[in-house]
Amino acid sequence: MADLPTAVTQASVSGNGSFCFYKDQIVVVSEEGYIKKFDIDKTSGELKIDTTVPISQKVTEIVSNTKDNIVYSGKDKAVNMVFKEKFDKATKITNPSEPVHKLIYPNKKIVLICSEANHMDIYWIEKEKITKMIPEHDKPILNGDVDPGSEYIATTGCDGTLNICKLDFDPNKLELVYSSEISERVELYSEQKLQVKFSPDGKNLAIAGSKELRIAERNAFEDIKSVPEIAHDDPISQVCWVNSNILITADTQNVVKVWNFDTKKEVFKFTNPNDLVCMEYSQTNNCFALFDTEGCLVVSTQDFPSHKDLQPVEKEEKDDLPQSKGQDQKEDAEMEPEKPEESKFAGNYELDNDYPQEYNNTVNDFIGARPQVSIMPGNVTEDDQLEYRFLCWNQVGSVASRGEMNSKYIEVEFADKTFHKTIITEDEIETEMATLSHNGAFLASKAEEVDLDQYEDDTNGQKYISQLKFIPFTSWNSIKPWGLDLPKGENTEGVALGSTFCAVSTDSNYVRFFSLEGVQTFMMSCFHSVVCMAAYENLLCVVSHNGLPMLEAQNLKLKIIDTTKNYACIVETEVPVTPGATLQWMNFSEEGSLYTYDTDGIMRNLSFSHGNNWIPVLDVKQRYDIEPSKFWIIGISEGEISCCVLRARTYPTPIDKSHIQSFKLCIPLLGLDTTGKAEIKRENTADNEEKFIRESIELTHQQWRRHQWSSLRNSRTQKNPSYNQSKSIFTDIEMTQSKKALDKIIINSIRIAAHNDDKAKILSLARKLHLVKSYSLCITLLHEMKLPFVADELQKVMEKKEMEEQNERERQISSSQNSREKQVNKASSLSEKIMQARMNNMEKNSKTENAKKENPILARSMMKKEANESGVNKSVPNNPFANKENKKVHNKNFLNDLLGQKVEKKVSNLEKPKNAKQKL
């Protein structure tokens, strides 16, 4: 049997996707948020990329009438119609209650919309009206079709039934004509599509679901007949009519066959290496295409003749091809197109077919993964057109984009209602990402990569520029809201917000720094694109690519920048990610410890006090039996994760705010109790070891944190938004309490080891005790358990520990005394200088007073001179007492300068001029 001549084109998309024919092109969509248009080479069937149009919606389904209308939708439920390729002016048709998984455009009159609900929405194009059809399926509708005369509609559901109804504009007049079970129950997104298709003449309905094709004739739907000649080795999943005489079928193992329906003979055969998503034939372009889960388009421009000209090819005639009408067989055989080699991929990278097969296989095994895309902690990126979409959700609160009518708003809601009231402001920049702290909210938009000619009448210029906006929460430091624009061609990838700075990463591999007042303070370049950023106090963590993935593992690198030390890099290390997984979340805890979480459910902690090593602190699947993609992390504090476990959706909704749960971290050591039914011995050994390691890491981090930010605890006032954050820094008392808690775990483990008479383990555990008092308790315990020899050994360890602590205390006391002596010496030296200056002033003052008493004329001239020097204006130069106020001021200042003390009493005696004159 001859193979169907095909050309394989990599559409360069990932995730769920679909395609449709539009005019003389093929349009491909995927969850990445792009619409790609390809030109078809009618000779070879190869596709050439024409244009790529970014859209804000994550699209998984697209259909077209091949002339002017395109309808697309996805898991965000919004269904949009585009007229003449104006994707920027898409019209929302409807917004079903559940995500859309299938669109059907059977004719120019209606569009069928299948969602995860048990009904189907029908959009009437001319009347622009939506009606709901309930074809009585117990499960969501899987597939469907409408006959060419728009009289009947056939649907299949996940319940395995086929329902045929009479189509009417009024849903109340829907009449169920026939219902039958055609298959077992199937999953919504499985390889079994249960597709049904009416032939172009409307006479036959082809039904998938079994190994043999089944046909139901019009007006006799109850008489479903199997066609044993048209069969596969596996159940048929999809069917497609080329015309009323040529039929294409595909099974669950991706085998595609072309049949002569009249003779029931197989004509062509093709096996696709990947799972099929959908297939379609375009009569306008005389082209057949199918789309698979790896983003490949398989296209055939083989001329499909009518049934009179099409002759079946027998199995022994493998080298012959079916002849086109009016062509010579010999000439056709000579012009037989060579079947192109299958495309070879390394991960998601297409390799050159000129390379040897062995080389391609080696590279495929070596790379095996696609580079990580950029992420934002707490940001919902799955569905951009949600009416309420989280842009950021952490332990401070949430920033959400909320749509009302034709307007968008930004809503900032706080976890602590007493900190600040909810902020609602108009979204002026079309925010795509945000970050939140006690200081404010930092928002950013993405530039739209669109053809500028489409907006010739738009002179605003803001559609193509990424914009930044900062909203402060308090006025304690008089910070005002501000905004800035990035240069054209530079797009935002991530934002972060510390206690004194804002940072934004861009697709130009830049990281730009701003103060909270909006001043540009620094800018740096990264060697590769930035994946994620997080900030805490004065630190900024930047994760970027470090090269291509290797052995299915992401190649990521981390830098921590200290903005208070000339933006120096204080930590530089690689970021571990589980092979085959990608980074899903990264942020600092409330205590300033850095955590990451990947799509395989592994959470890791970067321990600054343990040589900057990464420590796995939780395996979500193993510990809590939760699907990693459903584990939506909000934040981490005091060794507990605040999160919400998603149910049906892959993103949180406002109702999830009332379902926040706490999960404790648990290092995945060997022998841990994951069921809660472990024996006492096992539980008290492995569980105690895990608890000790985890709390030791927390204690050493608190010591590191205290050394790093202890000054902030005393310098920040309650008006500072970050006051509570710095107040959680441990004091000496809290440090001692943490050490006591660790010693308690060790003593409990020692008790278990003593019960098992494991002396070596007792001494090994005892050396981890922190306090001398804990040693005494442990020695007493060992004596009670009749282990005196071990107690004696422990006594020696305790004495050594006491000696070390005594030496340390003496060193601290000595250092403190030396420092105090220096301060005392410095203060006494200063005091002596002050006393000497006062004695000199008093001696000089005494000599001056004696001279005045001996010579009154000299005294008057001296007072006049002093008054002139002090700037006092005398009304009568010969009389120093003419101005009472000047006299008081002069004497007060003069005596204070000479004696160095207040003479309020003497000045009050000078208030009476007569007494003062007599005294003089």
Side-chain angles (χ1 to χ4, degrees), residues 475-545:
S475 58
W476 70 279
N477 50 2
S478 303
I479 297 178
K480 296 181 179 179
W482 54 269
L484 291 172
D485 297 342
L486 293 181
K488 287 186 178 180
E490 188 175 348
N491 211 346
T492 54
E493 292 293 332
V495 290
L497 183 59
S499 59
T500 58
F501 70 93
C502 310
V504 57
S505 61
T506 70
D507 58 2
S508 299
N509 295 350
Y510 293 153
V511 177
R512 299 177 179 270
F513 293 83
F514 309 88
S515 68
L516 297 183
E517 295 80 15
V519 179
Q520 300 182 66
T521 56
F522 191 65
M523 178 180 176
M524 71 179 191
S525 285
C526 298
F527 286 103
H528 299 282
S529 58
V530 176
V531 174
C532 186
M533 294 197 308
Y536 183 84
E537 293 289 359
N538 56 303
L539 303 181
L540 174 69
C541 175
V542 181
V543 174
S544 61
H545 286 287

Side-chain angles (χ1 to χ4, degrees), residues 388 390 393 644 649 652-660:
Y388 191 98
F390 283 102
W393 190 5
C644 58
R649 298 177 175 84
T653 59
I655 197 173
D656 290 319
K657 288 186 176 181
S658 59
H659 297 88
I660 298 176

Side-chain angles (χ1 to χ4, degrees), residues 59-298:
V59 180
T60 57
E61 279 293 318
I62 187 168
V63 290
S64 170
N65 65 355
T66 72
K67 291 185 177 181
D68 50 11
N69 284 346
I70 294 177
V71 180
Y72 61 86
S73 182
K75 293 183 179 180
D76 64 349
K77 302 179 288 189
V79 181
N80 297 314
M81 175 174 281
V82 175
F83 183 72
K84 292 185 177 180
E85 304 178 63
K86 295 182 179 179
F87 290 97
D88 60 304
K89 298 181 180 179
T91 303
K92 183 183 288 189
I93 295 176
T94 183
N95 197 4
S97 58
E98 299 294 336
V100 175
H101 69 87
K102 185 69 176 177
L103 293 174
I104 305 168
Y105 206 152
N107 51 47
K108 298 180 181 180
K109 297 180 180 179
I110 59 176
V111 176
L112 306 182
I113 304 167
C114 301
S115 66
E116 295 181 6
N118 294 359
H119 64 267
M120 177 186 290
D121 290 341
I122 304 177
Y123 178 69
W124 299 83
I125 297 175
E126 293 181 357
K127 299 183 179 181
E128 297 183 354
K129 188 172 182 179
I130 289 283
T131 59
K132 291 188 182 297
M133 172 189 172
I134 305 177
E136 300 181 2
H137 287 283
D138 296 335
K139 295 287 184 179
I141 296 175
L142 193 60
N143 229 307
D145 195 23
V146 176
D147 76 305
S150 300
E151 183 178 358
Y152 294 102
I153 179 170
T155 60
T156 58
C158 292
D159 55 0
T161 60
L162 166 69
N163 289 344
I164 300 175
C165 299
K166 272 196 171 184
L167 187 62
D168 199 303
F169 183 80
D170 188 353
N172 297 324
K173 296 181 181 180
L174 270 179
E175 179 183 349
L176 181 63
V177 177
Y178 177 73
S179 179
S180 175
E181 184 176 341
I182 60 173
S183 169
E184 297 179 351
R185 291 176 179 264
V186 297
E187 297 295 330
L188 187 59
Y189 296 101
S190 66
E191 65 275 5
Q192 179 56 264
K193 310 299 181 184
L194 281 185
Q195 194 168 23
V196 289
K197 278 284 185 180
F198 281 98
S199 59
D201 58 10
K203 293 182 179 180
N204 296 309
L205 175 67
I207 306 169
S210 64
K211 294 182 180 180
E212 297 178 354
L213 181 72
R214 286 169 290 183
I215 294 293
E217 296 181 356
R218 185 185 177 89
N219 299 325
F221 294 116
E222 66 279 358
D223 186 16
I224 298 179
K225 299 178 180 180
S226 295
V227 184
E229 297 86 354
I230 303 178
H232 286 249
D233 294 336
D234 295 281
I236 298 173
S237 173
Q238 301 183 58
V239 292
C240 174
W241 292 95
V242 174
N243 51 51
S244 297
N245 307 301
I246 307 300
L247 178 68
I248 302 176
T249 59
D251 62 27
T252 56
Q253 296 301 314
N254 313 316
V255 178
V256 181
K257 294 183 179 182
V258 181
W259 304 89
N260 185 328
F261 184 68
D262 280 355
T263 61
K264 308 296 188 294
K265 295 293 184 179
E266 181 181 331
V267 181
F268 292 121
K269 182 180 178 180
F270 170 78
T271 301
N272 195 64
N274 306 315
D275 293 339
L276 300 181
V277 176
C278 55
M279 63 182 188
E280 187 176 343
Y281 178 80
S282 171
Q283 294 183 350
T284 304
N285 298 293
N286 194 24
C287 177
F288 168 75
L290 62 84
F291 187 73
D292 63 30
T293 54
E294 294 297 323
C296 290
L297 273 171
V298 180

Side-chain angles (χ1 to χ4, degrees), residues 718-841:
Q718 291 187 358
K719 293 183 179 180
N720 192 310
S722 303
Y723 173 77
N724 290 331
Q725 182 170 285
S726 57
K727 271 295 179 184
S728 62
I729 298 175
F730 273 17
T731 60
D732 291 336
I733 297 175
E734 291 170 326
M735 285 288 184
T736 304
Q737 290 175 348
S738 296
K739 291 178 181 179
K740 285 181 179 178
L742 285 173
D743 287 354
K744 184 177 180 181
I745 299 172
I746 292 297
I747 292 174
N748 190 28
S749 299
I750 289 174
R751 180 180 59 81
I752 301 300
H755 182 75
N756 297 328
D757 198 18
D758 194 344
K759 300 176 183 179
K761 184 178 285 188
I762 292 173
L763 294 176
S764 176
L765 291 169
R767 291 188 179 94
K768 297 180 181 180
L769 294 170
H770 295 82
L771 305 175
V772 175
K773 187 176 180 180
S774 301
Y775 280 94
S776 300
L777 292 174
C778 192
I779 292 170
T780 304
L781 175 65
L782 293 174
H783 279 295
E784 290 177 356
M785 299 188 74
K786 299 180 180 180
L787 293 171
F789 298 104
V790 182
D792 292 341
E793 291 292 330
L794 194 56
Q795 180 71 31
K796 296 177 182 179
V797 176
M798 185 186 73
E799 291 174 356
K800 184 179 178 181
K801 181 78 172 177
E802 285 181 335
M803 184 65 67
E804 291 176 355
E805 289 187 358
Q806 181 65 25
N807 294 337
E808 179 65 21
R809 281 196 297 269
E810 289 177 356
R811 188 190 64 80
Q812 292 179 356
I813 292 172
S814 176
S815 176
S816 177
Q817 287 179 350
N818 292 337
S819 176
R820 191 176 302 144
E821 287 177 0
K822 289 180 180 179
Q823 294 178 357
V824 170
N825 293 336
K826 186 176 179 181
S828 60
S829 176
L830 181 61
S831 177
E832 289 176 0
K833 291 181 180 179
I834 294 173
M835 291 298 295
Q836 185 64 36
R838 287 184 176 179
M839 293 293 293
N840 294 338
N841 286 337

Side-chain angles (χ1 to χ4, degrees), residues 638-916:
E638 298 180 353
E640 291 190 355
I641 306 172
S642 295
C643 76
C644 58
V645 179
L646 306 177
R647 299 184 183 275
R649 298 177 175 84
T650 58
Y651 54 86
T653 59
I655 197 173
D656 290 319
K657 288 186 176 181
S658 59
H659 297 88
I660 298 176
Q661 303 179 48
S662 294
F663 295 88
K664 288 188 176 182
L665 298 176
C666 180
I667 300 174
L669 299 181
L670 300 177
L672 289 177
D673 175 25
T674 58
T675 63
K677 298 180 181 180
E679 297 177 359
I680 297 176
K681 177 181 175 181
R682 184 178 178 184
E683 181 181 356
N684 286 339
T685 53
D687 289 357
N688 283 343
E689 290 168 359
E690 185 279 329
K691 188 175 181 181
F692 177 78
I693 295 173
R694 176 166 43 84
E695 294 191 4
S696 295
I697 294 170
E698 294 175 4
L699 176 62
T700 53
H701 174 74
Q702 286 290 353
Q703 292 171 341
W704 178 87
R705 182 189 181 203
R706 183 180 179 182
H707 174 74
Q708 193 81 7
W709 295 297
S710 59
S711 60
L712 298 178
R713 182 181 176 94
N714 300 322
S715 62
R716 282 178 175 166
T717 62
Q718 291 187 358
K719 293 183 179 180
N720 192 310
S722 303
Y723 173 77
N724 290 331
Q725 182 170 285
S726 57
K727 271 295 179 184
S728 62
I729 298 175
F730 273 17
T731 60
D732 291 336
I733 297 175
E734 291 170 326
M735 285 288 184
T736 304
Q737 290 175 348
S738 296
K739 291 178 181 179
K740 285 181 179 178
L742 285 173
D743 287 354
K744 184 177 180 181
I745 299 172
I746 292 297
I747 292 174
N748 190 28
S749 299
I750 289 174
R751 180 180 59 81
I752 301 300
H755 182 75
N756 297 328
D757 198 18
D758 194 344
K759 300 176 183 179
K761 184 178 285 188
I762 292 173
L763 294 176
S764 176
L765 291 169
R767 291 188 179 94
K768 297 180 181 180
L769 294 170
H770 295 82
L771 305 175
V772 175
K773 187 176 180 180
S774 301
Y775 280 94
S776 300
L777 292 174
C778 192
I779 292 170
T780 304
L781 175 65
L782 293 174
H783 279 295
E784 290 177 356
M785 299 188 74
K786 299 180 180 180
L787 293 171
F789 298 104
V790 182
D792 292 341
E793 291 292 330
L794 194 56
Q795 180 71 31
K796 296 177 182 179
V797 176
M798 185 186 73
E799 291 174 356
K800 184 179 178 181
K801 181 78 172 177
E802 285 181 335
M803 184 65 67
E804 291 176 355
E805 289 187 358
Q806 181 65 25
N807 294 337
E808 179 65 21
R809 281 196 297 269
E810 289 177 356
R811 188 190 64 80
Q812 292 179 356
I813 292 172
S814 176
S815 176
S816 177
Q817 287 179 350
N818 292 337
S819 176
R820 191 176 302 144
E821 287 177 0
K822 289 180 180 179
Q823 294 178 357
V824 170
N825 293 336
K826 186 176 179 181
S828 60
S829 176
L830 181 61
S831 177
E832 289 176 0
K833 291 181 180 179
I834 294 173
M835 291 298 295
Q836 185 64 36
R838 287 184 176 179
M839 293 293 293
N840 294 338
N841 286 337
M842 291 176 65
E843 185 178 353
K844 183 179 178 181
N845 182 42
S846 176
K847 292 180 180 180
T848 304
E849 289 295 329
N850 293 334
K852 289 180 180 180
K853 290 179 180 179
E854 294 175 357
N855 193 345
I857 297 174
L858 178 61
R860 188 171 65 178
S861 63
M862 288 178 64
M863 293 182 67
K864 182 178 178 181
K865 183 178 179 181
E866 291 166 359
N868 292 334
E869 289 177 356
S870 61
V872 181
N873 214 352
K874 299 291 182 178
S875 58
V876 182
N878 295 328
N879 186 2
F881 308 105
N883 192 329
K884 300 178 183 178
E885 296 299 326
N886 287 343
K887 182 64 178 178
K888 287 193 292 183
V889 173
H890 166 72
N891 282 315
K892 185 175 181 179
N893 293 336
F894 177 74
L895 294 175
N896 280 336
D897 291 339
L898 290 178
L899 302 177
Q901 58 184 356
K902 293 184 180 181
V903 288
E904 299 291 341
K905 187 175 180 179
K906 293 184 179 181
V907 172
S908 62
N909 292 334
L910 295 176
E911 291 179 355
K912 299 180 181 180
K914 292 182 180 180
N915 295 337

Side-chain angles (χ1 to χ4, degrees), residues 560-592:
I560 295 182
I561 310 298
D562 191 341
T563 58
T564 60
K565 296 180 179 179
N566 291 329
Y567 298 89
C569 178
I570 61 174
V571 175
E572 186 171 3
T573 184
E574 295 179 342
V575 180
V577 180
T578 307
T582 56
L583 189 66
Q584 182 171 320
W585 180 89
M586 182 194 76
N587 213 337
F588 286 94
S589 67
E590 290 291 298
E591 295 79 27

